[in-house]
Amino acid sequence: MPPNPDRVPHRFLITLCTVGATLMQALDQTIANVALPYMQGSLSATYDEITWVLTSYITAAAIMTAPVGWLAGRFGRKYLFIACLVGFTITSMLCGAAQSLPQLVLFRILQGVFGAALVPLSQATRMDIYPIEQRGQAMAIWGMGVMVGPILGPTLGGYLTEIYNWRWVFFVNLPFGILARAGMAAFLPKTP
């Protein structure tokens, strides 16, 4: 049973955390696109091989979206959300530290597995913490993260790659992941 929306303190902070989690996941769908040529040279990969960096993430996320509801019911939404945020952040760091293409593809698969739950759990959380009359506005705010991520991804990815190197397109998730995880642990009410 979800918490009573009228008794959820810190709605605004939970909203920031869910938007941050969604933004991170949406950003990672497109941020690596512009860095592919740099990854290709650094990892000595062909064009066909390097595209697995994108394909592996999207495929894993698509497959793992289906069981999110069952997992949330089995382990609790709060615990699943926090575990996925931590897993997503760690695997993002591992992607940035990868030394070979197989490592990078494996870490991107794991990143997609953890990232798959972030969007549906963000939506479900917002439906739980807002009363019915405020849900439209809450989902509109959440939708900004969904829209801004893919738009901002290529620009931010190009900037980070040009100024630093391609590894920073993955390292950029660390501060957002830590903040979102801390906020979720502190403010998100437990569900049975």
Side-chain angles (χ1 to χ4, degrees):
M1 182 170 175
N4 182 348
D6 297 326
R7 296 184 180 195
V8 177
H10 311 294
R11 245 187 239 139
F12 178 73
L13 295 173
I14 296 170
T15 298
L16 285 178
C17 293
T18 58
V19 169
T22 302
L23 179 64
M24 254 190 347
Q25 195 274 346
L27 191 68
D28 267 36
Q29 289 180 0
T30 59
I31 196 168
N33 293 5
V34 295
L36 285 181
Y38 298 93
M39 291 180 209
Q40 185 179 354
S42 175
L43 300 173
S44 300
T46 66
Y47 176 77
D48 289 338
E49 291 171 335
I50 205 67
T51 57
W52 277 101
V53 171
L54 305 177
T55 306
S56 59
Y57 177 81
I58 294 169
T59 304
I63 291 169
M64 289 307 296
T65 300
V68 169
W70 179 82
L71 290 169
R74 177 94 166 100
F75 300 107
R77 190 175 299 149
K78 179 176 182 171
Y79 296 120
L80 181 62
F81 209 151
I82 290 171
C84 288
L85 275 169
V86 169
F88 186 85
T89 305
I90 290 171
T91 55
S92 185
M93 296 302 294
L94 290 172
C95 286
Q99 297 301 309
S100 68
L101 182 62
Q103 279 183 353
L104 183 57
V105 171
L106 173 66
F107 297 145
R108 283 291 278 180
I109 289 170
L110 293 173
Q111 192 182 27
V113 166
F114 288 113
L118 297 180
V119 171
L121 290 176
S122 293
Q123 288 177 309
T125 298
R126 297 171 75 68
M127 290 299 176
D128 283 350
I129 66 171
Y130 282 94
I132 293 173
E133 61 274 2
Q134 294 178 352
R135 287 181 183 167
Q137 181 182 6
M139 292 307 288
I141 293 168
W142 174 82
M144 288 189 311
V146 173
M147 295 305 295
V148 168
I151 294 168
L152 185 62
T155 305
L156 181 61
Y159 177 78
L160 291 171
T161 302
E162 189 68 30
I163 300 299
Y164 302 106
N165 67 31
W166 65 266
R167 296 179 187 280
W168 282 91
V169 301
F170 300 111
F171 293 152
V172 74
N173 287 330
L174 182 63
F176 296 110
I178 290 171
L179 289 173
R181 187 258 179 243
M184 288 294 177
F187 305 118
L188 188 63
K190 290 182 187 176
T191 55

